[in-house]
Amino acid sequence: AGSALAEHGRNGEALTFYQRALAEDPDYTLALRNLALVHRERGEIPAAIECLEKLLTLERRDTRGLRLELAHLLDGEGRVAESLAQYEAIATTDDQDPLPWREAGQILHRIGDVAKAETAYRQALKRAPKDAEVAGWLDRLKRGLPLKDEMPDPLAEANIAGDEAALPGLPAGLPRAPTDPSLRLTFDPLRRP
């Protein structure tokens, strides 16, 4: 019933249902998982983290997904060391998985721990040698640049601001299509059809 309520956007009622189920059986993992999802959807991140941490004490098999979600939420809350510990736990359980190394590398890159970020990126590439995205991040790290996601898009910023002249090499007054800044779409006058 709680899942049906949550699927129909009735998170408050679903939350109550899951809490009642857990009051009857504190080790009811499905209710705990769903409670974590509802808390996350409602923006109650510390409560979602608490649910995921309890789930990790109850689950003995295949905790990768739980740890990934927990690591992501911890990082979003600024709890970087705890987030990195979750990625490390994933990496130690599956030596061939590049994902924890990729994610840890990005966090370390973002916080400026260059040596550890480089190690993490190299470990990710060791497990997935054709991962161009990680290779690009490693290149940016070596050049002292932030992650690509953190780089400003000068064309998008000029387009949103309505300032064509701010871009070097583009003539002023070029026609532009309307853009939706949330989608980061821009008119590129140099693109060939």
Side-chain angles (χ1 to χ4, degrees):
S3 297
L5 290 167
E7 286 176 16
H8 292 291
R10 297 167 60 182
N11 285 337
E13 293 171 74
L15 186 71
T16 303
F17 180 84
Y18 297 137
Q19 289 169 333
R20 275 195 330 240
L22 287 166
E24 291 177 24
D25 179 4
D27 295 340
Y28 187 9
T29 57
L30 183 58
L32 199 51
R33 275 182 198 273
N34 290 335
L35 184 60
L37 291 172
V38 169
H39 280 309
R40 187 189 68 204
E41 291 297 315
R42 292 171 50 130
E44 300 163 347
I45 304 305
I49 288 171
E50 186 179 322
C51 290
L52 292 171
E53 288 174 335
K54 180 165 185 188
L55 266 170
L56 281 173
T57 65
L58 298 172
E59 291 285 339
R60 297 291 177 228
R61 53 186 164 73
D62 196 24
T63 59
R64 182 180 185 271
L66 286 174
R67 289 189 185 281
L68 287 172
E69 178 68 16
L70 181 57
H72 175 73
L73 293 178
L74 288 166
D75 183 37
E77 290 289 293
R79 295 165 63 178
V80 172
E82 293 169 87
S83 178
L84 289 169
Q86 294 303 319
Y87 290 125
E88 183 179 10
I90 296 167
T92 58
T93 59
D94 182 358
D95 189 40
Q96 299 306 308
D97 189 354
L99 185 62
W101 295 104
R102 284 175 50 103
E103 298 297 316
Q106 289 180 80
I107 291 173
L108 293 162
H109 189 160
R110 188 182 74 232
I111 66 172
D113 193 334
V114 175
K116 288 181 183 175
E118 182 174 350
T119 298
Y121 287 151
R122 289 191 185 283
Q123 289 296 323
L125 287 170
K126 179 179 172 184
R127 289 154 178 80
K130 295 181 182 181
D131 190 330
E133 195 170 33
V134 173
W137 296 334
L138 179 58
D139 179 59
R140 295 183 68 74
L141 179 74
K142 286 181 172 185
R143 293 189 292 145
L145 300 172
L147 288 169
K148 182 177 180 183
D149 294 339
E150 297 172 4
M151 293 292 294
D153 181 349
L155 185 58
E157 288 177 7
N159 198 13
I160 292 166
D163 184 10
E164 298 91 351
L167 296 171
L170 296 180
L174 285 172
R176 291 181 320 215
T179 64
D180 178 348
S182 68
L183 298 176
R184 306 283 292 161
L185 300 175
T186 61
F187 170 69
D188 182 357
L190 303 177
R191 185 179 65 222
R192 302 261 186 246

